[in-house]
Amino acid sequence: MVRLADRAETKPGQGQDGSRMLTSADGRRWIGVGSSAGEDSRAAGREATAAALGADAKLIIVFCSDRHDLESLVAGAREAAGDVELIGCTSAGEITADGAADDGVVVTAIGGDGFSVSTCHGLASENGPRAAGAAAAECMAKLERREHEVLMLLTDGVMGDKQEVVRGVNEVVGAGVPLVGGCAGDGMKMEKTFQLHGEEVLTEAVVAAAISSDGPIGIGWRHGWERIGEPMLVTRTRGDRVVEIDDQPALDAYLERLEAPANVRTDAAEFTRWARTHPLGLGRRPTGQEPVRCVNEAGFEDRTLGCTTAVPEGGMAWFMHGDSDSVLRSAEGACRDALDALGGEKAIGVIAFDCIGRRGVLGEDGIQAEVERIEAT
């Protein structure tokens, strides 16, 4: 959850097509959002981008369904935005203040002379996730520095160990630069995702936008998952696969401890849908704040678990679950944390990254309730 603020009060403004945006009172920073549910990819990209744009745009961030012809969509966005810096990725649902939708396009734009932006990308397909993270982070070196800054990362959702991406980034920028972002999606297929940078459509990539701001940037995160039962020892791993838990085959321990239904134990697609609501919690932080690893895939042959990123061997872990109340509370909490970090300044907008696992708990009505709680906060 990223909140953007300015030292001035905020007031409503109008985008190029009459869409609502928020601008600081002195006009130096603004954020706008546009969306399209159109079938034609080029037209949808152009429409959503035009709705988000204001004067002196510095960055557009595109989230879209993988059903689109992505080259055409990017071309449409370029028709509206010209040479404005662009990053983005495919998703598993797109969120605006009106709620969540599938198969659409959502564009967020920021601009004004109170922002500076630089973008880069790295390809994991060439030298691995760590090198891709390092290459993407090079955009920080080209950034016009201001008082507040953040590095936004959008990564391939199905490539190897995402923690390696963060290690590569930290090698370049150190641990002092705040990182925000998320993984690209492809609905619920978990087969292939795409990342967007400039005019390029990429896969197995990390795209990054370094953002520097005269006003504060608040960041908050929470997940809403709660521990089930006693902690376990992760006794063997292999990359992003958990091989053994408490010296048992990891898949067997997972299914048995969580009393998984019969169809989940044999059907890969059913397992993936069910596992989205039962991640692994790591470490010893207070519940609600510990890192989590989503479980994406069951190795029915070798009895392993495939996770979003590596799980430390020899570390403690918990099975997790959530309900709509805990997940909705976490959205409010993350939003408050981001607002508190602004030091009393007014927020002009929020950029939210929401895990697909939360949608599995909330359902469509719950996603709308989540958006309403964020707005109310």
Side-chain angles (χ1 to χ4, degrees):
M1 188 80 66
V2 186
R3 285 277 189 176
L4 306 174
D6 198 277
R7 303 189 193 287
E9 294 296 310
T10 60
K11 62 182 180 180
Q14 297 292 317
Q16 292 180 354
D17 68 343
S19 63
R20 182 179 176 84
M21 64 171 55
L22 288 176
T23 309
S24 60
D26 61 5
R28 298 192 62 247
R29 296 165 71 247
W30 57 262
I31 183 169
V33 179
S35 63
S36 175
E39 293 292 324
D40 181 275
S41 297
R42 193 182 193 106
R46 183 172 55 247
E47 176 186 6
T49 303
L53 284 175
D56 191 20
K58 296 296 177 61
L59 174 69
I60 57 175
I61 308 163
V62 180
F63 297 107
C64 60
S65 166
D66 67 341
R67 72 147 178 103
H68 278 289
D69 178 329
L70 298 176
E71 286 81 5
S72 294
L73 189 149
V74 170
R78 280 284 177 225
E79 288 173 2
D83 61 357
V84 175
E85 299 273 14
L86 180 154
I87 66 168
C89 64
T90 52
S91 68
E94 305 81 42
I95 300 173
T96 69
D98 295 324
D102 290 303
D103 298 333
V105 184
V106 171
V107 175
T108 299
I110 63 172
D113 63 8
F115 281 124
S116 299
V117 173
S118 176
T119 64
C120 281
H121 76 261
L123 295 175
S125 55
E126 294 181 350
N127 296 300
R130 190 168 190 150
E138 291 293 342
C139 60
M140 287 296 301
K142 301 184 293 181
L143 183 66
E144 179 187 343
R145 309 304 281 266
R146 299 172 186 268
E147 184 176 357
H148 307 279
E149 57 192 23
V150 68
L151 182 60
M152 182 178 295
L153 303 166
L154 303 176
T155 76
D156 191 304
V158 295
M159 72 181 185
D161 185 356
K162 314 304 184 299
Q163 191 61 40
E164 283 292 285
V165 173
V166 176
R167 293 187 182 106
V169 169
N170 287 340
E171 287 174 356
V172 175
V173 304
V177 176
L179 308 180
V180 299
C183 295
D186 62 351
M188 288 291 290
K189 298 185 291 292
M190 295 303 297
E191 294 172 354
K192 189 174 186 178
T193 72
F194 297 91
Q195 301 75 53
L196 313 176
H197 179 221
E199 297 178 355
E200 296 185 78
V201 177
L202 309 164
T203 191
E204 295 187 60
V206 180
V207 299
I211 302 170
S212 187
S213 170
D214 288 342
I217 302 171
I219 301 171
W221 75 273
R222 300 195 187 192
H223 53 66
W225 305 112
E226 299 175 346
R227 297 170 179 171
I228 302 173
E230 297 299 315
M232 305 161 296
L233 183 66
V234 179
T235 44
R236 190 152 67 95
T237 63
R238 186 177 66 248
D240 59 358
R241 302 202 73 81
V242 182
V243 180
E244 290 183 354
I245 295 174
D246 283 343
D247 294 317
Q248 298 178 30
L251 178 59
D252 295 337
Y254 184 71
L255 295 173
E256 291 165 13
R257 288 277 291 268
L258 292 173
E259 299 180 347
N263 61 338
V264 167
R265 296 170 181 261
T266 56
D267 185 288
E270 290 297 326
F271 176 89
T272 296
R273 278 190 284 271
W274 179 82
R276 284 295 186 187
T277 62
H278 297 88
L280 294 176
L282 309 181
R284 297 183 179 276
R285 297 183 192 176
T287 186
Q289 292 295 322
E290 65 268 73
V292 296
R293 299 287 186 264
C294 289
V295 178
N296 294 330
E297 182 217 342
F300 290 118
E301 297 298 323
D302 61 8
R303 313 308 291 173
T304 62
L305 295 172
C307 296
T308 49
T309 191
V311 176
E313 186 170 291
M316 303 303 294
W318 283 262
F319 292 137
M320 311 287 283
H321 77 132
D323 58 28
S324 58
D325 287 341
S326 69
V327 171
L328 289 172
R329 286 196 305 271
S330 73
E332 285 184 275
C335 200
R336 288 197 193 97
D337 291 345
L339 286 171
D340 290 345
L342 298 179
E345 303 292 341
K346 282 278 191 177
I348 62 169
V350 59
I351 302 173
F353 302 90
D354 207 357
C355 176
I356 188 61
R358 297 167 60 86
R359 187 174 184 177
V361 174
L362 292 174
E364 302 312 307
D365 290 343
I367 289 290
Q368 180 60 40
E370 183 179 50
V371 172
E372 290 171 358
R373 289 201 185 195
I374 291 171
E375 281 199 287
T377 305

